[in-house]
Structure formats: structure tokens, C-alpha cells
Amino acid sequence: MASVFPVIFALVIVLGLMTCGFFFVPKGPQQTTIRTGIMLTFASCYLMWMITYMAQLHPLIGCREFMIVNQRLSRE
């Protein structure tokens, strides 16, 4: 059984990177745009990783062989 630890661990790392991106962007006319781009990039990457990870843990469609065996057993 997989744990939720990798998801929370990755979230903490992404939040840390987003905080660093917020504070360490140099001042200038494009500061808000750069901050927004960095934070959206990290958030999007985390969401894609989390969705892929969770889809592998809890697939919507099971093993095809298992489904075939179930159909054969239900006919008998």
C-alpha cells in the first residue's frame, strides 16, 4: 500500500521553491510577471506530477486479464 508521504514531501519542496522564487526575483519593471511565471510553472509541474502519480496508484481500468477471468467465471 502506497503512502501519501511522497505527495506531501513534493508539495513541501514545491512550496519552498515557490517561496524562494518569490523572494529572490530581482527588482525591476517585470518583477511581478517573473514571479507569476515562476510560481505558475512550479504549480503546474506539481499538479501534473501528482495527477500522474495518483493515477498510477489508483488506476481507473484494472488489469485486462483479470477482467477476462471475471467474465468467464460469471458465465459459468
Side-chain angles (χ1 to χ4, degrees):
M1 192 79 181
S3 69
V4 84
F5 177 72
V7 176
I8 303 236
F9 182 70
L11 178 63
V12 169
I13 289 175
V14 167
L15 289 175
L17 289 171
M18 289 171 82
T19 304
C20 289
F22 181 81
F23 287 118
F24 295 120
V25 171
K27 298 240 187 248
Q30 301 297 325
Q31 182 181 20
T32 306
T33 306
I34 295 170
R35 280 182 179 173
T36 304
I38 289 172
M39 294 173 93
L40 279 173
T41 300
F42 283 130
S44 299
C45 289
Y46 172 74
L47 281 174
M48 286 301 296
W49 172 82
M50 186 191 67
I51 290 169
T52 304
Y53 182 77
M54 297 304 265
Q56 290 176 9
L57 286 180
H58 307 288
L60 294 176
I61 300 173
C63 178
R64 186 178 181 122
E65 293 173 13
F66 177 73
M67 293 167 58
I68 292 171
V69 169
N70 264 353
Q71 289 175 354
R72 288 182 185 165
L73 290 176
S74 64
R75 289 182 193 163
E76 293 175 358

